[in-house]
Amino acid sequence: MSLLTHVLACLFGMGSWVAINGMWVELPLVVTEIPEGWYLPSYLTVLIQMANIGPLFITLMHRFRPGVLDERPVIYCIVGLGIVATFLLAFFWRQTMTIGGSLHSVPLLVLTFLLSVVDCTSSVTFLPFMMRLRPQYLTTYFVGEGLSGLVPALVALTQGVGLVHCQNATLAVVANQTADNATMVGSGELQAIYQPARFSAQVFFVFLSVMMVVSLVAFILLNHHPSVARERKNDLYFSGDLAPGKREQGLSLHAQTPEQKPMISHLESKREAKSSFGKGTYSNLEVVFIFVVLAWVNALTNAILPSVQSYSCLPYGNKAYHLSATMAAVANPVACFIAMFLPIRSLFFMGFLTMFGTGFGAYNMAMAALSPCPLLVHSASGTAVIVLAWILFVLSLSYVKVTIGVILRDEGYSALVWCGAVVQLGSMLGAVSMFPLVSVYGLFRSGDACNTKCPI
């Protein structure tokens, strides 16, 4: 294996969701200067789901015109669009237009929609492209995909976005009738004051544009660098459905390596029927199970739980919130590293790990529902538990996602296209289900980072 190819695959993967992840972590700085205010997250949720038109088009083309659409030109287009959109965002995100008698951040919303199209479409194009490389590099790609959330979060943390300090609040001023001065009467409450950022949102968006440029350069080198060419197999192997015989031959030859062999249980000999999916390694029921788990895991990690993270963590304090967000972002690439050196493809283990991670997700959801007075809110142990719950939630389900990606990679090009489509479907269903609960019906109440009034 080539270290250069690993580095390039990782940098390429970082371009998959870095733009939208960066937009989310920059929200506390952006919302204070636009007319939409804190309604912007709701708009972002809708825009991201509308952007699934990109993956839908790619999936339908693959289904009804197999072999016609090459993912490489599409990747060049969407990454180039991402570079331009993030660069323009740096200069026009504050601009507003009057629509229906009120101000709206039209350039910000339009550019964010374009970035959503870029990132959503990457799910159904980046993964199939990785079929051109040896399977070991797919795990490295997932490491980069995890870093696409971690790196913007660390930069935003350095920037000081969302950091607050608490100071005494003054609620009333009582005028002294006999003196020229006024007496300030303090309430004893603490008020959360956002600290000024160390650098502007414009600099941050330029950084995101540079990250997209790095991803594009990595993609170009993956296509044309001589060292990477030795890690690639014959292009006939990747020509979609145009050369199924060649592709299956390549699969069978490469499956001889120990790391590529799926872990088939001792019940293999008792299976009566194989599915027509991929190489037919798994039965129809197992294929359904894999895709249901994939959709469920992505719904939880990409939409359902992130929408309530602030509700579950802020009652324990601002430090708990930032620690859980940062460590959860670290857990994603860590899970990919674990999967690289300890790949376990047992479907039983996958199901167990999914239930394990879902259990911690349920705890996080329960604490969000109990906000602003969740369990152990006044104790250090409560802070430790909520941070640990978020870490284990992301760690376990990220491992499941990588494992499914590797399994489907063994099943061929079409399997990875459907993998990306199901990832987007699960994320969309999760976002659609949580949007009315959080933004319309207001079932969750925010905790105060400085004042917690709960019974001990």
Side-chain angles (χ1 to χ4, degrees):
M1 290 188 294
S2 166
L3 178 60
L4 173 64
T5 308
H6 274 297
V7 172
L8 293 177
C10 182
L11 294 176
F12 174 57
M14 287 179 64
S16 58
W17 282 93
V18 70
I20 291 301
N21 287 332
M23 190 68 199
W24 279 111
V25 299
E26 194 70 1
L27 281 180
L29 197 61
V30 171
V31 296
T32 59
E33 301 190 40
I34 61 173
E36 287 79 8
W38 278 107
Y39 285 105
L40 181 61
S42 300
Y43 293 156
L44 289 183
T45 302
V46 175
L47 290 174
I48 292 172
Q49 302 320 311
M50 291 172 57
N52 278 303
I53 186 174
L56 178 62
F57 172 76
I58 299 295
T59 305
L60 291 178
M61 282 291 294
H62 177 75
R63 174 65 180 85
F64 296 106
R65 299 293 300 275
V68 173
L69 187 64
D70 186 355
E71 74 276 357
R72 286 174 293 185
V74 178
I75 293 175
Y76 279 118
C77 290
I78 63 173
V79 176
L81 178 61
I83 293 171
V84 174
T86 48
F87 187 76
L88 293 177
L89 198 60
F91 298 95
F92 296 102
W93 69 273
R94 277 201 192 96
Q95 303 299 315
T96 58
M97 296 177 61
T98 302
I99 299 178
S102 59
L103 290 175
H104 293 280
S105 304
V106 175
L108 173 66
L109 296 176
V110 171
L111 292 171
T112 302
F113 171 73
L114 295 178
L115 292 176
S116 300
V117 172
V118 170
D119 289 2
C120 290
T121 309
S122 72
S123 295
V124 292
T125 53
F126 284 23
L127 277 175
F129 170 77
M130 292 305 297
M131 280 286 294
R132 299 176 181 273
L133 303 175
R134 298 183 185 279
Q136 295 88 343
Y137 299 113
L138 181 62
T139 307
T140 309
Y141 165 83
F142 280 116
V143 172
E145 192 175 80
L147 291 176
S148 72
L150 175 61
V151 172
L154 293 178
V155 173
L157 197 61
T158 303
Q159 184 185 14
V161 171
L163 295 179
V164 301
H165 69 274
C166 303
Q167 68 178 21
N168 289 327
T170 301
L171 298 183
V173 177
V174 178
N176 191 330
Q177 301 295 331
T178 60
D180 293 333
N181 62 333
T183 303
M184 305 294 290
V185 180
S187 66
E189 287 194 359
L190 296 176
Q191 183 179 7
I193 305 296
Y194 282 93
Q195 297 179 0
R198 295 183 178 91
F199 52 87
S200 66
Q202 182 182 43
V203 175
F204 183 82
F205 289 135
V206 170
F207 164 76
L208 294 183
S209 184
V210 172
M211 291 294 296
M212 294 298 295
V213 171
V214 170
S215 179
L216 178 61
V217 172
F219 178 63
I220 294 173
L221 292 176
L222 285 173
N223 278 286
H224 302 291
H225 197 281
S227 296
V228 181
R230 292 193 292 268
E231 302 295 328
R232 253 190 336 258
K233 295 182 285 296
N234 194 321
D235 278 347
L236 286 175
Y237 173 76
F238 305 101
S239 58
D241 295 330
L242 295 179
K246 294 283 186 180
R247 192 170 66 257
E248 294 304 321
Q249 182 181 5
L251 280 168
S252 61
L253 290 173
H254 197 75
Q256 294 175 9
T257 61
E259 185 176 286
Q260 273 297 100
K261 293 180 180 178
M263 294 183 64
I264 303 174
S265 68
H266 65 281
L267 297 177
E268 170 68 22
S269 59
K270 297 183 180 180
R271 291 179 186 161
E272 297 179 357
K274 301 291 184 180
S275 71
S276 58
F277 180 81
K279 293 163 54 182
T281 306
Y282 300 95
S283 67
N284 288 318
L285 184 61
E286 288 172 327
V287 171
V288 171
F289 171 76
I290 290 171
F291 278 118
V292 168
V293 169
L294 182 63
W296 172 250
V297 166
N298 280 278
L300 290 180
T301 57
N302 297 344
I304 295 178
L305 268 300
S307 66
V308 298
Q309 185 170 23
S310 61
Y311 298 100
S312 67
C313 298
L314 272 180
Y316 297 97
N318 191 63
K319 182 178 180 181
Y321 173 64
H322 280 278
L323 193 59
S324 65
T326 304
M327 295 306 295
V330 172
N332 193 320
V334 168
C336 298
F337 276 114
I338 295 174
M340 182 184 298
F341 298 106
L342 189 63
I344 301 177
R345 306 186 192 184
S346 165
L347 298 187
F348 176 81
F349 180 75
M350 182 196 305
F352 167 78
L353 208 55
T354 301
M355 291 188 293
F356 179 80
T358 301
F360 285 105
Y363 177 83
N364 296 331
M365 179 65 74
M367 296 307 101
L370 292 174
S371 177
C373 297
L375 300 177
L376 304 173
V377 68
H378 292 292
S379 66
S381 60
T383 301
V385 169
I386 194 66
V387 172
L388 184 62
W390 272 100
I391 293 173
L392 293 177
F393 163 73
V394 174
L395 187 69
S396 56
L397 296 190
S398 294
Y399 185 94
V400 171
K401 287 194 288 186
V402 175
T403 301
I404 293 178
V406 174
I407 287 176
L408 294 180
R409 190 254 176 242
D410 289 349
E411 296 304 305
Y413 180 92
S414 299
L416 280 185
V417 174
W418 284 107
C419 175
V422 172
V423 165
Q424 290 305 117
L425 176 63
S427 302
M428 181 185 68
L429 293 177
V432 169
S433 63
M434 291 304 295
F435 178 77
L437 299 180
V438 175
S439 302
V440 179
Y441 299 108
L443 298 184
F444 298 90
R445 291 186 297 166
S446 298
D448 193 323
C450 296
N451 301 289
T452 303
K453 296 181 180 179
C454 298
I456 300 177

